[in-house]
Amino acid sequence: MNYPSKLIENAIEEIAKLPGIGKKSALRMALHLLKRDEKQTLRLAEALTAMRTQIRYCQQCHNIADADLCGICANTKRDVSLLCVVEDTRDVLAIENTAQYRGLYHVLGGIISPLEGIGPADLKIDSLVQRIEAHLGTTQAVQEVILGLSPTMEGDTTAFYLTKRLKPLGVKISTIARGIPIGGDLEYADEITLGRSIIGRVAYD
Amino acid sequence: MNYPSKLIENAIEEIAKLPGIGKKSALRMALHLLKRDEKQTLRLAEALTAMRTQIRYCQQCHNIADADLCGICANTKRDVSLLCVVEDTRDVLAIENTAQYRGLYHVLGGIISPLEGIGPADLKIDSLVQRIEAHLGTTQAVQEVILGLSPTMEGDTTAFYLTKRLKPLGVKISTIARGIPIGGDLEYADEITLGRSIIGRVAYD
């Protein structure tokens, strides 16, 4: 496309690099910003810059944070005996939103994926093992590690590898339940999910 | 949602103000930027700031521009006797993309909409009349004004008002053709479009 201004062309090109945004949406956003108060654009630009340059990562769980420890690790009311291992920050937010979990997290920063060249060494797995080892036998000891990984091939590979590393530490290892989603219709469930939900059936109480 | 960091929360709130972006997409974009090179975020922030603070509007057609005149008005190869009146920059881009038009444009900056409180005085209509008057009788005179407005109630109202203002100047006034889209199926066209395309039938040659 032939843009009337180099300035808008640059902005559109940079906006279109965001995930899920094409050139047409980027143009729409650029024109929207041009129509609105200049302050809105400046606030957006400043918020992005501040986020990218000032953000820190929790030294304990590797979640994004404003300080050395994230808000969850710094919260003394959380149950330190429970540790949920997740792929990234989005998963932490998703689980926090359920308000069903009071333990801590460990953010791997990715998932083992040989196709994309991501191996165990690229993830925060050594840090997880050290974190558990450091408190073994103390009152702060982790009793149970919950594998909160996606039920994909990569997720299963990562879960398998983590189990191998964590077994020697003697902690209980569990995984989030897989099955038919609440409100889901049996006849529309895919065979693999339905099959697994039958194999993994639980006592009815 | 409970964000682990005030910095990311601010960024998400600002991103979510963009059209078509909700909190979930904004979170996805923020995490994407955090994963990528810091330079990408800084380039985005700078491109947005530069666009918003440095952009100018063409003194002749009111399209966005980098200088006093936009690239189209400054191009001496364009046909100055043809003037296409459009609502905003997006329409200019859409028409330019067809590569079928070699005349100039006039960007109204909106459309008459009593419901939204936008009247003729809020648009660049006086400027259009003055622009045509200024060259009347010279070699630079506008011979034809094409109304490139959307076929909506507001578009029709604006076209009606423009015709009233432009008639006294003695220029030819035309409107872009309305009818069945190329590749469209007759049976799926709405009655109004089909009805108008029969009334506005053209000689077959």
Side-chain angles (χ1 to χ4, degrees), chain B residues 52-118:
Chain B
R52 191 62 189 84
T53 55
Q54 293 170 33
I55 206 124
R56 293 162 72 177
Y57 291 88
C58 177
Q59 292 180 348
Q60 183 166 274
C61 76
H62 311 291
N63 192 5
I64 50 176
D66 288 341
D68 284 347
L69 282 185
C70 73
I72 297 168
C73 285
N75 184 345
T76 53
K77 286 187 187 150
R78 310 279 306 207
D79 183 354
V80 296
S81 70
L82 262 180
L83 200 57
C84 184
V85 178
V86 294
E87 184 181 339
D88 63 22
T89 297
R90 221 173 318 173
D91 303 322
V92 174
L93 289 170
I95 296 175
E96 281 300 287
N97 260 352
T98 67
Q100 297 291 324
Y101 181 69
R102 296 297 300 162
L104 301 182
Y105 294 92
H106 194 88
V107 179
L108 293 179
I111 201 154
I112 296 174
S113 171
L115 276 178
E116 291 181 42
I118 303 172

Side-chain angles (χ1 to χ4, degrees), chain A residues 46-68:
Chain A
E46 276 160 23
L48 291 176
T49 307
M51 174 190 77
R52 191 62 188 86
T53 55
Q54 293 170 33
I55 205 124
R56 294 163 71 178
Y57 290 88
C58 176
Q59 292 180 348
Q60 184 165 273
C61 75
H62 310 292
N63 192 5
I64 50 176
D66 288 340
D68 284 347

Side-chain angles (χ1 to χ4, degrees), chain B residues 119-148:
Chain B
D122 301 313
L123 307 177
K124 303 291 186 193
I125 294 177
D126 287 339
S127 143
L128 170 66
V129 174
Q130 284 156 20
R131 180 177 171 189
I132 296 171
E133 277 177 341
H135 297 293
L136 273 183
T138 72
T139 53
Q140 301 282 304
V142 174
Q143 307 289 340
E144 180 175 353
V145 173
I146 303 171
L147 303 177

